[in-house]
PDB file of all heavy atoms in Angstrom:
ATOM      1  N   ILE I   1      19.504   7.367 -20.493  1.00 97.00           N
ATOM      2  CA  ILE I   1      20.676   7.673 -19.655  1.00 97.00           C
ATOM      3  C   ILE I   1      20.693   9.051 -19.079  1.00 97.00           C
ATOM      4  O   ILE I   1      21.064   9.290 -17.957  1.00 97.00           O
ATOM      5  CB  ILE I   1      21.978   7.435 -20.492  1.00 97.00           C
ATOM      6  CG1 ILE I   1      22.021   5.863 -20.805  1.00 97.00           C
ATOM      7  CG2 ILE I   1      23.150   7.921 -19.828  1.00 97.00           C
ATOM      8  CD1 ILE I   1      23.085   5.518 -21.796  1.00 97.00           C
ATOM      9  N   LEU I   2      20.227   9.991 -19.911  1.00 97.00           N
ATOM     10  CA  LEU I   2      20.289  11.504 -19.487  1.00 97.00           C
ATOM     11  C   LEU I   2      19.233  11.839 -18.528  1.00 97.00           C
ATOM     12  O   LEU I   2      19.229  12.904 -17.984  1.00 97.00           O
ATOM     13  CB  LEU I   2      20.216  12.281 -20.782  1.00 97.00           C
ATOM     14  CG  LEU I   2      21.337  12.178 -21.761  1.00 97.00           C
ATOM     15  CD1 LEU I   2      21.206  13.066 -23.006  1.00 97.00           C
ATOM     16  CD2 LEU I   2      22.679  12.354 -21.118  1.00 97.00           C
ATOM     17  N   ASP I   3      18.331  10.868 -18.101  1.00 98.00           N
ATOM     18  CA  ASP I   3      17.453  11.075 -17.040  1.00 98.00           C
ATOM     19  C   ASP I   3      18.100  11.099 -15.705  1.00 98.00           C
ATOM     20  O   ASP I   3      17.430  11.362 -14.665  1.00 98.00           O
ATOM     21  CB  ASP I   3      16.264  10.132 -17.078  1.00 98.00           C
ATOM     22  CG  ASP I   3      15.243  10.473 -18.125  1.00 98.00           C
ATOM     23  OD1 ASP I   3      15.260  11.629 -18.713  1.00 98.00           O
ATOM     24  OD2 ASP I   3      14.402   9.560 -18.430  1.00 98.00           O
ATOM     25  N   HIS I   4      19.434  10.606 -15.674  1.00 98.00           N
ATOM     26  CA  HIS I   4      20.081  10.364 -14.386  1.00 98.00           C
ATOM     27  C   HIS I   4      21.152  11.331 -14.109  1.00 98.00           C
ATOM     28  O   HIS I   4      21.774  11.934 -15.014  1.00 98.00           O
ATOM     29  CB  HIS I   4      20.617   8.872 -14.432  1.00 98.00           C
ATOM     30  CG  HIS I   4      19.548   7.962 -14.643  1.00 98.00           C
ATOM     31  ND1 HIS I   4      19.098   7.573 -15.968  1.00 98.00           N
ATOM     32  CD2 HIS I   4      18.864   7.137 -13.839  1.00 98.00           C
ATOM     33  CE1 HIS I   4      18.100   6.738 -15.978  1.00 98.00           C
ATOM     34  NE2 HIS I   4      17.859   6.414 -14.627  1.00 98.00           N
ATOM     35  N   THR I   5      21.405  11.527 -12.889  1.00 97.00           N
ATOM     36  CA  THR I   5      22.511  12.475 -12.438  1.00 97.00           C
ATOM     37  C   THR I   5      23.779  11.792 -11.871  1.00 97.00           C
ATOM     38  O   THR I   5      24.712  12.430 -11.627  1.00 97.00           O
ATOM     39  CB  THR I   5      21.952  13.453 -11.398  1.00 97.00           C
ATOM     40  OG1 THR I   5      21.499  12.689 -10.230  1.00 97.00           O
ATOM     41  CG2 THR I   5      20.748  14.304 -11.933  1.00 97.00           C
ATOM     42  N   ALA I   6      23.632  10.496 -11.657  1.00 97.00           N
ATOM     43  CA  ALA I   6      24.782   9.769 -11.191  1.00 97.00           C
ATOM     44  C   ALA I   6      24.788   8.362 -11.739  1.00 97.00           C
ATOM     45  O   ALA I   6      23.743   7.765 -12.083  1.00 97.00           O
ATOM     46  CB  ALA I   6      24.643   9.733  -9.672  1.00 97.00           C
ATOM     47  N   VAL I   7      25.919   7.721 -11.924  1.00 98.00           N
ATOM     48  CA  VAL I   7      26.092   6.384 -12.363  1.00 98.00           C
ATOM     49  C   VAL I   7      26.888   5.608 -11.281  1.00 98.00           C
ATOM     50  O   VAL I   7      27.825   6.103 -10.768  1.00 98.00           O
ATOM     51  CB  VAL I   7      26.895   6.276 -13.771  1.00 98.00           C
ATOM     52  CG1 VAL I   7      26.889   4.873 -14.231  1.00 98.00           C
ATOM     53  CG2 VAL I   7      26.265   7.294 -14.756  1.00 98.00           C
ATOM     54  N   VAL I   8      26.460   4.235 -10.990  1.00 97.00           N
ATOM     55  CA  VAL I   8      27.051   3.413 -10.098  1.00 97.00           C
ATOM     56  C   VAL I   8      27.801   2.396 -10.855  1.00 97.00           C
ATOM     57  O   VAL I   8      27.219   1.649 -11.634  1.00 97.00           O
ATOM     58  CB  VAL I   8      26.051   2.796  -9.053  1.00 97.00           C
ATOM     59  CG1 VAL I   8      26.713   1.952  -8.117  1.00 97.00           C
ATOM     60  CG2 VAL I   8      25.240   3.940  -8.406  1.00 97.00           C
ATOM     61  N   PHE I   9      29.101   2.262 -10.648  1.00 96.00           N
ATOM     62  CA  PHE I   9      29.975   1.255 -11.319  1.00 96.00           C
ATOM     63  C   PHE I   9      30.428   0.165 -10.325  1.00 96.00           C
ATOM     64  O   PHE I   9      31.083   0.609  -9.304  1.00 96.00           O
ATOM     65  CB  PHE I   9      31.154   1.899 -11.988  1.00 96.00           C
ATOM     66  CG  PHE I   9      30.765   2.828 -13.220  1.00 96.00           C
ATOM     67  CD1 PHE I   9      31.247   4.045 -13.231  1.00 96.00           C
ATOM     68  CD2 PHE I   9      30.029   2.253 -14.150  1.00 96.00           C
ATOM     69  CE1 PHE I   9      30.963   4.902 -14.345  1.00 96.00           C
ATOM     70  CE2 PHE I   9      29.679   3.102 -15.233  1.00 96.00           C
ATOM     71  CZ  PHE I   9      30.194   4.374 -15.392  1.00 96.00           C
ATOM     72  N   THR I  10      30.110  -1.048 -10.453  1.00 92.00           N
ATOM     73  CA  THR I  10      30.483  -2.099  -9.621  1.00 92.00           C
ATOM     74  C   THR I  10      31.665  -2.925 -10.216  1.00 92.00           C
ATOM     75  O   THR I  10      32.182  -3.760  -9.434  1.00 92.00           O
ATOM     76  CB  THR I  10      29.330  -3.061  -9.259  1.00 92.00           C
ATOM     77  OG1 THR I  10      28.794  -3.568 -10.488  1.00 92.00           O
ATOM     78  CG2 THR I  10      28.191  -2.312  -8.481  1.00 92.00           C
ATOM     79  N   SER I  11      32.153  -2.496 -11.345  1.00 89.00           N
ATOM     80  CA  SER I  11      33.252  -3.228 -11.953  1.00 89.00           C
ATOM     81  C   SER I  11      33.821  -2.360 -13.138  1.00 89.00           C
ATOM     82  O   SER I  11      33.119  -1.469 -13.580  1.00 89.00           O
ATOM     83  CB  SER I  11      32.845  -4.556 -12.480  1.00 89.00           C
ATOM     84  OG  SER I  11      31.987  -4.423 -13.647  1.00 89.00           O
ATOM     85  N   ARG I  12      34.968  -2.764 -13.634  1.00 89.00           N
ATOM     86  CA  ARG I  12      35.575  -2.103 -14.831  1.00 89.00           C
ATOM     87  C   ARG I  12      34.768  -2.467 -16.001  1.00 89.00           C
ATOM     88  O   ARG I  12      34.662  -1.662 -16.989  1.00 89.00           O
ATOM     89  CB  ARG I  12      37.017  -2.371 -14.888  1.00 89.00           C
ATOM     90  CG  ARG I  12      37.885  -1.628 -13.878  1.00 89.00           C
ATOM     91  CD  ARG I  12      39.374  -1.841 -14.076  1.00 89.00           C
ATOM     92  NE  ARG I  12      39.707  -3.176 -13.608  1.00 89.00           N
ATOM     93  CZ  ARG I  12      41.083  -3.570 -13.540  1.00 89.00           C
ATOM     94  NH1 ARG I  12      41.997  -2.796 -13.826  1.00 89.00           N
ATOM     95  NH2 ARG I  12      41.312  -4.757 -13.133  1.00 89.00           N
ATOM     96  N   HIS I  13      34.183  -3.608 -15.970  1.00 91.00           N
ATOM     97  CA  HIS I  13      33.392  -4.040 -17.103  1.00 91.00           C
ATOM     98  C   HIS I  13      32.133  -3.074 -17.287  1.00 91.00           C
ATOM     99  O   HIS I  13      31.788  -2.683 -18.455  1.00 91.00           O
ATOM    100  CB  HIS I  13      32.774  -5.488 -16.856  1.00 91.00           C
ATOM    101  CG  HIS I  13      33.801  -6.581 -17.045  1.00 91.00           C
ATOM    102  ND1 HIS I  13      34.519  -6.712 -18.246  1.00 91.00           N
ATOM    103  CD2 HIS I  13      34.074  -7.609 -16.235  1.00 91.00           C
ATOM    104  CE1 HIS I  13      35.299  -7.724 -18.014  1.00 91.00           C
ATOM    105  NE2 HIS I  13      35.101  -8.279 -16.859  1.00 91.00           N
ATOM    106  N   ALA I  14      31.625  -2.667 -16.201  1.00 95.00           N
ATOM    107  CA  ALA I  14      30.486  -1.829 -16.203  1.00 95.00           C
ATOM    108  C   ALA I  14      30.867  -0.439 -16.803  1.00 95.00           C
ATOM    109  O   ALA I  14      30.127   0.185 -17.528  1.00 95.00           O
ATOM    110  CB  ALA I  14      29.893  -1.524 -14.754  1.00 95.00           C
ATOM    111  N   VAL I  15      32.117   0.083 -16.395  1.00 96.00           N
ATOM    112  CA  VAL I  15      32.617   1.282 -16.924  1.00 96.00           C
ATOM    113  C   VAL I  15      32.781   1.187 -18.470  1.00 96.00           C
ATOM    114  O   VAL I  15      32.299   2.050 -19.173  1.00 96.00           O
ATOM    115  CB  VAL I  15      33.928   1.693 -16.318  1.00 96.00           C
ATOM    116  CG1 VAL I  15      34.608   2.909 -16.890  1.00 96.00           C
ATOM    117  CG2 VAL I  15      33.793   1.884 -14.814  1.00 96.00           C
ATOM    118  N   ASP I  16      33.495   0.132 -18.960  1.00 96.00           N
ATOM    119  CA  ASP I  16      33.624   0.073 -20.327  1.00 96.00           C
ATOM    120  C   ASP I  16      32.393  -0.045 -21.089  1.00 96.00           C
ATOM    121  O   ASP I  16      32.186   0.707 -22.080  1.00 96.00           O
ATOM    122  CB  ASP I  16      34.450  -1.277 -20.611  1.00 96.00           C
ATOM    123  CG  ASP I  16      35.856  -1.226 -20.343  1.00 96.00           C
ATOM    124  OD1 ASP I  16      36.465  -0.071 -20.322  1.00 96.00           O
ATOM    125  OD2 ASP I  16      36.522  -2.290 -19.972  1.00 96.00           O
ATOM    126  N   HIS I  17      31.465  -0.823 -20.712  1.00 97.00           N
ATOM    127  CA  HIS I  17      30.184  -1.063 -21.545  1.00 97.00           C
ATOM    128  C   HIS I  17      29.294   0.132 -21.465  1.00 97.00           C
ATOM    129  O   HIS I  17      28.581   0.490 -22.338  1.00 97.00           O
ATOM    130  CB  HIS I  17      29.457  -2.363 -21.056  1.00 97.00           C
ATOM    131  CG  HIS I  17      30.291  -3.522 -21.549  1.00 97.00           C
ATOM    132  ND1 HIS I  17      30.267  -4.037 -22.781  1.00 97.00           N
ATOM    133  CD2 HIS I  17      31.143  -4.297 -20.831  1.00 97.00           C
ATOM    134  CE1 HIS I  17      31.029  -5.089 -22.867  1.00 97.00           C
ATOM    135  NE2 HIS I  17      31.591  -5.299 -21.655  1.00 97.00           N
ATOM    136  N   PHE I  18      29.310   0.826 -20.312  1.00 97.00           N
ATOM    137  CA  PHE I  18      28.536   2.103 -20.183  1.00 97.00           C
ATOM    138  C   PHE I  18      29.010   3.209 -21.208  1.00 97.00           C
ATOM    139  O   PHE I  18      28.174   3.628 -21.995  1.00 97.00           O
ATOM    140  CB  PHE I  18      28.635   2.673 -18.675  1.00 97.00           C
ATOM    141  CG  PHE I  18      27.987   4.039 -18.588  1.00 97.00           C
ATOM    142  CD1 PHE I  18      26.576   4.265 -18.557  1.00 97.00           C
ATOM    143  CD2 PHE I  18      28.850   5.155 -18.625  1.00 97.00           C
ATOM    144  CE1 PHE I  18      26.106   5.562 -18.448  1.00 97.00           C
ATOM    145  CE2 PHE I  18      28.301   6.511 -18.512  1.00 97.00           C
ATOM    146  CZ  PHE I  18      26.960   6.659 -18.376  1.00 97.00           C
ATOM    147  N   PHE I  19      30.268   3.447 -21.207  1.00 97.00           N
ATOM    148  CA  PHE I  19      30.816   4.465 -22.114  1.00 97.00           C
ATOM    149  C   PHE I  19      30.726   4.044 -23.604  1.00 97.00           C
ATOM    150  O   PHE I  19      30.597   4.853 -24.459  1.00 97.00           O
ATOM    151  CB  PHE I  19      32.167   4.969 -21.679  1.00 97.00           C
ATOM    152  CG  PHE I  19      32.148   5.779 -20.515  1.00 97.00           C
ATOM    153  CD1 PHE I  19      32.605   5.261 -19.212  1.00 97.00           C
ATOM    154  CD2 PHE I  19      31.788   7.098 -20.528  1.00 97.00           C
ATOM    155  CE1 PHE I  19      32.586   6.080 -18.067  1.00 97.00           C
ATOM    156  CE2 PHE I  19      31.843   7.886 -19.378  1.00 97.00           C
ATOM    157  CZ  PHE I  19      32.173   7.363 -18.194  1.00 97.00           C
ATOM    158  N   LYS I  20      30.889   2.813 -23.875  1.00 96.00           N
ATOM    159  CA  LYS I  20      30.876   2.326 -25.303  1.00 96.00           C
ATOM    160  C   LYS I  20      29.354   2.279 -25.793  1.00 96.00           C
ATOM    161  O   LYS I  20      29.201   2.709 -26.938  1.00 96.00           O
ATOM    162  CB  LYS I  20      31.412   0.872 -25.328  1.00 96.00           C
ATOM    163  CG  LYS I  20      32.945   0.870 -25.274  1.00 96.00           C
ATOM    164  CD  LYS I  20      33.478  -0.588 -25.251  1.00 96.00           C
ATOM    165  CE  LYS I  20      34.961  -0.552 -25.080  1.00 96.00           C
ATOM    166  NZ  LYS I  20      35.571  -1.869 -25.005  1.00 96.00           N
ATOM    167  N   LEU I  21      28.529   2.050 -24.910  1.00 97.00           N
ATOM    168  CA  LEU I  21      27.117   2.162 -25.335  1.00 97.00           C
ATOM    169  C   LEU I  21      26.718   3.650 -25.495  1.00 97.00           C
ATOM    170  O   LEU I  21      25.931   3.973 -26.503  1.00 97.00           O
ATOM    171  CB  LEU I  21      26.111   1.542 -24.266  1.00 97.00           C
ATOM    172  CG  LEU I  21      25.499   0.115 -24.467  1.00 97.00           C
ATOM    173  CD1 LEU I  21      24.720  -0.363 -23.380  1.00 97.00           C
ATOM    174  CD2 LEU I  21      24.875   0.054 -25.814  1.00 97.00           C
ATOM    175  N   CYS I  22      27.163   4.524 -24.660  1.00 97.00           N
ATOM    176  CA  CYS I  22      26.902   5.947 -24.884  1.00 97.00           C
ATOM    177  C   CYS I  22      27.375   6.376 -26.174  1.00 97.00           C
ATOM    178  O   CYS I  22      26.713   7.130 -26.871  1.00 97.00           O
ATOM    179  CB  CYS I  22      27.513   6.688 -23.688  1.00 97.00           C
ATOM    180  SG  CYS I  22      26.643   6.597 -22.120  1.00 97.00           S
ATOM    181  N   GLN I  23      28.551   5.908 -26.593  1.00 96.00           N
ATOM    182  CA  GLN I  23      29.177   6.196 -27.834  1.00 96.00           C
ATOM    183  C   GLN I  23      28.365   5.801 -28.981  1.00 96.00           C
ATOM    184  O   GLN I  23      28.046   6.430 -29.962  1.00 96.00           O
ATOM    185  CB  GLN I  23      30.697   5.753 -27.926  1.00 96.00           C
ATOM    186  CG  GLN I  23      31.249   6.161 -29.214  1.00 96.00           C
ATOM    187  CD  GLN I  23      32.802   5.675 -29.258  1.00 96.00           C
ATOM    188  OE1 GLN I  23      33.080   4.653 -28.611  1.00 96.00           O
ATOM    189  NE2 GLN I  23      33.654   6.337 -30.000  1.00 96.00           N
ATOM    190  N   GLU I  24      27.883   4.422 -28.849  1.00 96.00           N
ATOM    191  CA  GLU I  24      27.180   3.885 -29.957  1.00 96.00           C
ATOM    192  C   GLU I  24      25.770   4.584 -30.107  1.00 96.00           C
ATOM    193  O   GLU I  24      25.215   4.637 -31.142  1.00 96.00           O
ATOM    194  CB  GLU I  24      26.962   2.377 -29.580  1.00 96.00           C
ATOM    195  CG  GLU I  24      26.429   1.506 -30.780  1.00 96.00           C
ATOM    196  CD  GLU I  24      26.381   0.063 -30.426  1.00 96.00           C
ATOM    197  OE1 GLU I  24      27.052  -0.387 -29.478  1.00 96.00           O
ATOM    198  OE2 GLU I  24      25.699  -0.672 -31.246  1.00 96.00           O
ATOM    199  N   LEU I  25      25.220   4.948 -28.923  1.00 96.00           N
ATOM    200  CA  LEU I  25      23.833   5.666 -28.959  1.00 96.00           C
ATOM    201  C   LEU I  25      23.952   7.212 -29.187  1.00 96.00           C
ATOM    202  O   LEU I  25      22.946   7.818 -29.337  1.00 96.00           O
ATOM    203  CB  LEU I  25      23.167   5.396 -27.526  1.00 96.00           C
ATOM    204  CG  LEU I  25      22.854   4.005 -27.085  1.00 96.00           C
ATOM    205  CD1 LEU I  25      22.542   3.906 -25.612  1.00 96.00           C
ATOM    206  CD2 LEU I  25      21.634   3.535 -27.905  1.00 96.00           C
ATOM    207  N   ARG I  26      25.211   7.637 -29.270  1.00 96.00           N
ATOM    208  CA  ARG I  26      25.511   9.020 -29.539  1.00 96.00           C
ATOM    209  C   ARG I  26      24.920   9.948 -28.398  1.00 96.00           C
ATOM    210  O   ARG I  26      24.365  10.928 -28.602  1.00 96.00           O
ATOM    211  CB  ARG I  26      24.897   9.498 -30.846  1.00 96.00           C
ATOM    212  CG  ARG I  26      25.593   8.726 -32.133  1.00 96.00           C
ATOM    213  CD  ARG I  26      25.044   9.235 -33.371  1.00 96.00           C
ATOM    214  NE  ARG I  26      25.680   8.538 -34.508  1.00 96.00           N
ATOM    215  CZ  ARG I  26      25.480   8.659 -35.712  1.00 96.00           C
ATOM    216  NH1 ARG I  26      24.412   9.436 -36.107  1.00 96.00           N
ATOM    217  NH2 ARG I  26      26.064   7.953 -36.702  1.00 96.00           N
TER     218      ARG I  26
END
């Protein structure tokens, strides 16, 4: 994830799961 400088969200589902995965992955 940290190799990237921008994130593209096409839905609120994408937002939720991106940030929850980041939390899970620390």
Side-chain angles (χ1 to χ4, degrees):
I1 293 170
L2 297 181
D3 282 347
H4 303 85
T5 60
V7 186
V8 181
F9 292 127
T10 55
S11 70
R12 284 184 287 188
H13 288 307
V15 175
D16 284 333
H17 290 281
F18 170 78
F19 285 106
K20 286 176 182 176
L21 258 179
C22 285
Q23 184 178 26
E24 194 174 345
L25 295 164
R26 297 181 180 175

